[in-house]
Structures are given as structure tokens and as C-alpha cells.
Amino acid sequence: MDNQLEPVHVTLVKYDAGLGAPGIMPPQLSSSTEISVTPTGGRVVQQSFQDNQPQSKQERALGDAGVQRVVALVSELTELPARQLPGGSDVYGANTVVLVRRGQVPVWGYNPGGGCAADTEPELSVTSAHKTEFARILSELYEASRD
């Protein structure tokens, strides 16, 4: 394990049936995955939901290979464009909220259900290559969380 590794925390929240009606109706949660990587190892907490109520929770250690994969994937993820989006726009099409922190400081986030207020900023511009890369990274983060 690399003792110089900066703590990294990744939160993935997956939704079932779209993103609800922002500001009115909450989305239907499917699962949440918390991946924490520190110089002493890694930990994964996965929780499933039904009708927005917690159903099951699993916690386990993350092996050295998983830790290294998560660190590499976080580096790739933070290169993609992101910001909170108004009105439930899911430009990546993954129905997933993502938050990456180094220590306690958020360094990258994607929240497609970011609220119902009008936003004066232009729509987040992502290409099909960005969407493909986002989907690949999410898939590999889920896979790494099982290592």
C-alpha cells in the first residue's frame, strides 16, 4: 500500500426510474456505493433501496488491486466536464450522481437532478466520447469496488 496516497472517497448513487420531478418528487433510489481509499487500505459500503427505503447494506475491505484501480479511475473521471445541472438534465444518461472527494474537499461532482431553479449558465457540453468515457469509468468503478 502506498503510504503517500491521499485519501479519496467516491460516492455513486444510482436511480431507477429517471430522476423524478426536481423540487417536487424525489427520484427512486436503486443503490448507493461508497468507496473510500486511504494510505492504510480501502473500504466499500454498498446499500440497496426499495421505495427509497434502505433494504440491505454490505461492507467490505477493498484489496490493493482495487485501491490502485479506484485511484487511477478517479484521475480519469476528474478530466471529464461536470457541474450541477438544473431541472434534472442528465447529459451523461447514466441516472447516477457522482461525488469525488480528496480528504473532505469535493474535487469533482455530477448531479443530474441538481434542482428546479433556472440556471443562467449554458448547458453542460459533453460529446459522445465524454458519454462513452463516463459510462466506462462508472462501470470500472463498480467492478473495482468488488476487487
Side-chain angles (χ1 to χ4, degrees), residues 45-67:
V45 177
Q46 291 179 310
Q47 192 161 14
S48 64
F49 294 84
Q50 184 174 353
D51 297 325
N52 285 348
Q53 299 299 314
Q55 294 300 304
S56 67
K57 185 176 184 178
Q58 296 178 336
E59 296 184 44
R60 67 183 167 285
L62 187 61
D64 289 347
V67 166

Side-chain angles (χ1 to χ4, degrees), residues 3-15:
N3 287 331
Q4 301 301 315
L5 180 68
E6 184 177 13
V8 173
H9 308 281
V10 179
T11 302
L12 306 169
V13 179
K14 181 79 173 155
Y15 295 98

Side-chain angles (χ1 to χ4, degrees), residues 125-139:
S125 178
V126 298
T127 65
S128 61
H130 289 137
K131 291 178 185 181
T132 300
E133 190 69 358
F134 184 79
R136 180 192 65 79
I137 292 169
L138 277 186
S139 175

Side-chain angles (χ1 to χ4, degrees), residues 8-12 73-75 77-78 98-110 141:
V8 173
H9 308 281
V10 179
T11 302
L12 306 169
L73 289 166
V74 163
S75 179
L77 184 62
T78 57
V98 181
L99 176 63
V100 176
R101 293 176 289 135
R102 292 200 189 277
Q104 294 301 314
V105 178
V107 294
W108 195 90
Y110 176 68
L141 279 168

